[in-house]
Amino acid sequence: MTAPVYFTETEPGLFVGNDPARGPWSPDHCHAGPVTGLVVRAAEGAAGSGKMLTRLTLDVLRPLPLSGLRVSVSVQRDSRTLTTTRVAVHDTHGTLCLSGTSMHLVRKDLGDVPTADVAGPDFGEAERGEPLLVGKLHDRPAFGQFIEMAYPQGEDLGPGPKTVWMKAPHLLADEGPSPIQAICPLADCGNGISWNEPPVRFGFMNTDLTLQIHREPQGDWFAAQAVSHWQPNGVGMSQAVLYDVVGPVGMALQTIVLHPMAK
């Protein structure tokens, strides 16, 4: 059986979403996590392999149609130390759906460097389980059904903060993702992991994503320790510390818009 992938490049530069890329809110729109992977792919290509992506900030301006997306990138600054880019995602009609910026820092070999000793979740003790991100407002196959998941022993999978391990499909069938491309689907799941109430009274969609990386992830299983803050003014925030099987690699922040669900 062919492994599922998020996108098919049907012509040069045109990425059509497959079932795993479909989001929970509409059968016609992508989950932003796989699209973030496409953006990182373009930004890394522009910055070059000598520099590591350390920060990505994206504004989700419109729904991202499965029917086709084009990613463009321009280098804003390029020096020996850093490169910055500006990225944009348009639909097939040329409508801007997502915009953002990235920063890439030159790789160095500094030997033994002291850092904070932070204990992360132990993948060796995690227990495989049913996917958590399967709730959706349509009956089509979607993002959460194609994610492998594991949980710390005794993890409460009800409302509130939680820790989740995830293994996601690749972006494209003909190439393996870079380490940071591979963690992007999980990075955009903080609000879906740490919801404070099932989406009956309120929907909780993120309008942006800021991904901060201090070490390139290793392997293909990644964890998020996520918490969401919801407020009566209709604004929320999700923050997730991201891990690989070795330890922490970065953080993802999302602004959340809360909206009453249609009755």
Side-chain angles (χ1 to χ4, degrees):
M1 180 179 295
T2 302
V5 295
Y6 285 122
F7 297 98
T8 299
E9 191 172 12
T10 58
E11 62 181 62
L14 179 63
F15 300 95
V16 175
N18 300 319
D19 284 343
R22 182 177 287 111
W25 305 107
S26 166
D28 301 320
H29 299 140
C30 294
H31 189 288
V35 179
T36 301
L38 285 181
V39 170
V40 169
R41 178 177 179 268
E44 289 181 328
S49 60
K51 293 176 181 147
M52 185 187 93
L53 186 147
T54 58
R55 192 262 304 148
L56 179 74
T57 300
L58 301 178
D59 294 328
V60 184
L61 306 174
R62 291 179 176 82
L64 299 152
L66 280 168
S67 56
L69 298 169
R70 296 186 183 275
V71 183
S72 61
V73 58
S74 60
V75 173
Q76 301 296 294
R77 176 172 171 77
D78 189 27
S79 70
R80 288 182 298 177
T81 300
L82 64 85
T83 296
T84 61
T85 77
R86 184 168 297 278
V87 293
V89 177
H90 293 81
D91 65 16
T92 55
H93 302 290
T95 302
L96 179 64
C97 299
L98 180 150
S99 66
T101 61
S102 70
M103 177 174 287
H104 311 249
L105 296 182
V106 68
R107 289 182 173 83
K108 301 175 182 177
D109 185 1
L110 300 181
D112 185 19
V113 174
T115 188
D117 185 12
V118 177
D122 185 351
F123 181 67
E125 297 182 355
E127 300 175 338
R128 301 287 184 98
E130 293 298 315
L132 178 67
L133 302 169
V134 294
K136 56 187 190 297
L137 301 183
H138 54 79
D139 59 2
R140 300 292 304 280
F143 179 84
Q145 296 167 254
F146 297 88
I147 299 286
E148 295 182 59
M149 292 190 128
Y151 309 96
Q153 294 181 12
E155 182 72 18
D156 183 354
L157 301 183
K162 59 184 66 71
T163 300
V164 173
W165 288 94
M166 293 174 54
K167 180 181 178 183
H170 287 183
L171 286 175
L172 299 163
D174 57 353
E175 64 182 61
S178 74
I180 298 176
Q181 292 170 32
I183 206 172
C184 284
L186 173 63
D188 191 60
C189 286
N191 63 326
I193 291 171
S194 61
W195 43 268
N196 293 312
E197 183 180 277
V200 177
R201 291 196 303 155
F202 304 110
F204 41 93
M205 299 176 66
N206 61 300
T207 59
D208 65 3
L209 172 66
T210 297
L211 175 61
Q212 193 86 28
I213 297 289
H214 56 81
R215 176 175 63 81
E216 286 176 302
Q218 301 178 34
D220 50 14
W221 277 95
F222 309 117
Q225 288 182 333
V227 58
S228 287
H229 305 277
W230 294 1
Q231 302 301 332
N233 60 5
V235 176
M237 184 192 79
S238 169
Q239 62 184 57
V241 181
L242 305 178
Y243 300 86
D244 63 8
V245 297
V246 178
V249 298
M251 177 174 285
L253 297 174
Q254 299 167 299
T255 302
I256 300 170
V257 58
L258 299 166
H259 56 87
M261 298 292 286
K263 297 181 179 180

Coordinates of all heavy atoms in Angstrom, one line a residue, residues 196-204 230 258-263:
N196 N -10.1 23.4 25.4 CA -10.7 23.5 26.8 C -12.1 23.0 26.9 O -12.6 22.8 28.0 CB -10.6 25.0 27.3 CG -9.2 25.4 27.5 OD1 -8.4 24.7 28.1 ND2 -8.8 26.6 26.9
E197 N -12.7 22.8 25.7 CA -14.1 22.3 25.7 C -14.3 21.7 24.2 O -13.8 22.3 23.3 CB -15.1 23.4 25.9 CG -16.5 23.0 26.0 CD -17.4 24.2 26.3 OE1 -17.6 24.6 27.5 OE2 -17.9 24.8 25.3
P198 N -15.0 20.6 24.1 CA -15.3 20.1 22.7 C -16.0 21.2 21.9 O -16.7 22.1 22.4 CB -16.2 18.9 22.9 CG -15.9 18.5 24.3 CD -15.6 19.7 25.1
P199 N -15.8 21.2 20.6 CA -16.3 22.3 19.7 C -17.8 22.1 19.5 O -18.3 21.9 18.4 CB -15.6 22.1 18.4 CG -15.2 20.6 18.4 CD -14.9 20.2 19.8
V200 N -18.6 22.3 20.6 CA -20.0 22.3 20.5 C -20.6 23.7 20.7 O -21.3 24.2 19.9 CB -20.6 21.4 21.7 CG1 -22.1 21.4 21.6 CG2 -20.1 20.0 21.5
R201 N -20.1 24.4 21.7 CA -20.5 25.8 21.9 C -19.6 26.8 21.1 O -20.1 27.7 20.5 CB -20.5 26.2 23.3 CG -21.5 25.6 24.2 CD -21.6 26.3 25.6 NE -20.3 26.4 26.2 CZ -20.0 27.3 27.1 NH1 -20.8 28.3 27.4 NH2 -18.8 27.3 27.7
F202 N -18.3 26.5 21.0 CA -17.4 27.4 20.4 C -16.5 26.6 19.4 O -16.0 25.5 19.7 CB -16.5 28.1 21.4 CG -17.2 28.8 22.5 CD1 -17.3 28.3 23.8 CD2 -17.9 30.0 22.2 CE1 -18.0 29.0 24.8 CE2 -18.6 30.7 23.2 CZ -18.6 30.2 24.5
G203 N -16.2 27.3 18.3 CA -15.1 26.9 17.4 C -13.8 27.6 17.9 O -13.9 28.7 18.5
F204 N -12.7 27.0 17.6 CA -11.4 27.6 18.0 C -10.4 27.5 16.9 O -9.6 26.6 16.9 CB -10.9 27.0 19.3 CG -11.1 25.5 19.5 CD1 -10.1 24.7 19.1 CD2 -12.3 25.0 19.9 CE1 -10.2 23.3 19.2 CE2 -12.5 23.6 20.0 CZ -11.4 22.8 19.7
W230 N -8.3 30.6 26.7 CA -9.5 31.1 26.0 C -10.1 32.3 26.9 O -10.1 32.1 28.1 CB -10.6 30.1 25.8 CG -10.3 29.0 24.9 CD1 -9.1 28.8 24.2 CD2 -11.1 27.9 24.6 NE1 -9.2 27.6 23.5 CE2 -10.4 27.0 23.7 CE3 -12.4 27.5 25.0 CZ2 -11.0 25.9 23.2 CZ3 -13.0 26.3 24.4 CH2 -12.2 25.5 23.5
L258 N -12.1 32.6 18.8 CA -13.3 31.8 19.3 C -14.5 32.3 18.7 O -14.7 33.5 18.6 CB -13.4 31.9 20.8 CG -12.2 31.3 21.6 CD1 -12.3 31.8 23.1 CD2 -12.1 29.8 21.6
H259 N -15.4 31.4 18.2 CA -16.6 31.9 17.6 C -17.7 30.9 17.9 O -17.5 29.7 18.1 CB -16.5 32.0 16.1 CG -16.0 30.7 15.4 ND1 -16.9 29.7 15.0 CD2 -14.8 30.2 15.1 CE1 -16.2 28.7 14.5 NE2 -15.0 29.0 14.5
P260 N -19.0 31.4 18.2 CA -20.1 30.5 18.5 C -20.4 29.6 17.4 O -20.3 30.0 16.2 CB -21.2 31.5 18.7 CG -20.6 32.8 19.0 CD -19.3 32.8 18.2
M261 N -20.7 28.3 17.7 CA -21.0 27.3 16.7 C -22.4 27.5 16.2 O -23.3 27.9 17.1 CB -20.8 25.9 17.2 CG -19.3 25.6 17.6 SD -18.2 25.6 16.2 CE -18.7 24.0 15.4
A262 N -22.7 27.4 14.9 CA -24.1 27.5 14.4 C -24.9 26.4 15.1 O -24.5 25.2 15.2 CB -24.1 27.4 12.9
K263 N -26.2 26.8 15.4 CA -27.1 25.8 16.0 C -28.1 25.3 14.9 O -28.4 25.9 14.0 CB -27.9 26.5 17.1 CG -27.0 26.9 18.3 CD -27.8 27.5 19.4 CE -26.9 27.9 20.6 NZ -27.7 28.5 21.7

